[in-house]
């Protein structure tokens, strides 16, 4: 959010209300991008995401997909997650189990229920900035569309 706000504040005659809205847009874009990155850590192809699959899990980083998986897991599934969390080496069986847990219907639905209102908020703020005659509106709109289309239209 800070980058959008500072860039705007450096322009001629910046408006305080527009700068705050740009900060909110940048913040929401950052959160949504992080959710996308966390989810792609499990379902993305390494050549497309630029990193090894399950890297966050192997490094012991409790990201949103694991928290949601844990929420919907039975006691045996929770043991699998707990046993393998933070292990740099994973057996094929463990990876398969973890992937099944992360891609459970309930987890995907929860993820979408978290994402949808954030995007709606983002679009509302974007439209308010448009009313303010912000000159970078078209660039901002393209950035939001890019994050949305590449992230969550799966």
């Amino acid at each position: 959010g800070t980058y959008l706000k500072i860039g705007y504040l450096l322009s001629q005659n910046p408006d305080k209300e527009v700068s705050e809205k740009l900060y909110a847009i940048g913040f929401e874009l950052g959160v949504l991008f992080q959710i996308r990155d966390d989810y792609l850590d499990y379902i993305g192809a390494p050549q497309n995401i630029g990193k090894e699959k399950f890297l966050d899990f192997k490094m012991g980083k409790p990201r949103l997909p694991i928290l949601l998986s844990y929420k919907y897991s039975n006691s045996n599934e929770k043991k699998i997650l707990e046993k393998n969390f933070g292990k740099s080496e994973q057996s094929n069986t463990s990876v398969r189990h973890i992937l099944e847990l992360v891609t459970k219907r309930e987890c995907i639905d929860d993820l979408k229920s978290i994402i949808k209102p954030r995007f709606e908020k983002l679009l509302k703020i974007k439209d308010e900035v448009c009313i303010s005659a912000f000159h970078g509106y078209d660039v901002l709109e393209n950035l939001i569309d890019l994050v949305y289309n590449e992230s969550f239209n799966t």
Side-chain angles (χ1 to χ4, degrees):
T2 302
Y3 293 114
L4 283 175
K5 183 177 180 178
I6 288 175
Y8 177 73
L9 288 173
L10 293 174
S11 69
Q12 286 186 325
N13 302 317
D15 178 270
K16 182 175 170 65
E17 186 179 342
V18 172
S19 72
E20 293 303 319
K21 288 177 182 177
L22 287 172
Y23 178 84
I25 288 170
F27 180 83
E28 291 300 327
L29 276 171
V31 169
L32 291 166
F33 185 84
Q34 187 60 52
I35 292 171
R36 171 192 179 262
D37 182 67
D38 293 349
Y39 189 64
L40 289 177
D41 189 50
Y42 297 92
I43 66 156
Q47 65 272 18
N48 293 339
I49 61 173
K51 64 180 180 178
E52 177 187 343
K53 212 170 185 176
F54 295 104
L55 188 59
D56 291 341
F57 187 80
K58 291 176 181 180
M59 293 176 66
K61 296 179 180 178
R63 303 292 192 211
L64 185 58
I66 291 300
L67 298 174
L68 293 176
S69 299
Y70 198 83
K71 175 181 173 181
Y72 291 107
S73 293
N74 62 38
S75 60
N76 289 334
E77 293 167 336
K78 286 179 180 180
K79 286 178 187 173
I80 291 169
L81 288 170
E82 291 165 359
K83 177 183 172 195
N84 291 286
F85 189 71
K87 281 178 64 177
S88 59
E89 295 297 319
Q90 305 280 336
S91 71
N92 288 337
T93 304
S94 294
V95 168
R96 191 173 61 251
H97 286 308
I98 294 163
L99 186 57
E100 287 170 4
L101 295 175
V102 168
T103 57
K104 272 185 176 179
R105 177 89 182 145
E106 299 90 352
C107 295
I108 304 291
D109 289 345
D110 251 13
L111 194 61
K112 288 180 180 178
S113 74
I114 292 167
I115 294 163
K116 187 176 179 186
R118 292 199 93 107
F119 260 111
E120 289 169 355
K121 178 181 177 183
L122 183 61
L123 294 174
K124 181 178 181 219
I125 299 168
K126 177 197 69 159
D127 290 342
E128 291 170 1
V129 170
C130 175
I131 293 166
S132 305
F134 170 62
H135 295 294
Y137 179 79
D138 55 339
V139 174
L140 191 58
E141 188 170 49
N142 289 337
L143 180 61
I144 292 168
D145 289 344
L146 178 70
V147 170
Y148 181 78
N149 289 325
E150 288 193 1
S151 301
F152 309 110
N153 282 340
T154 56

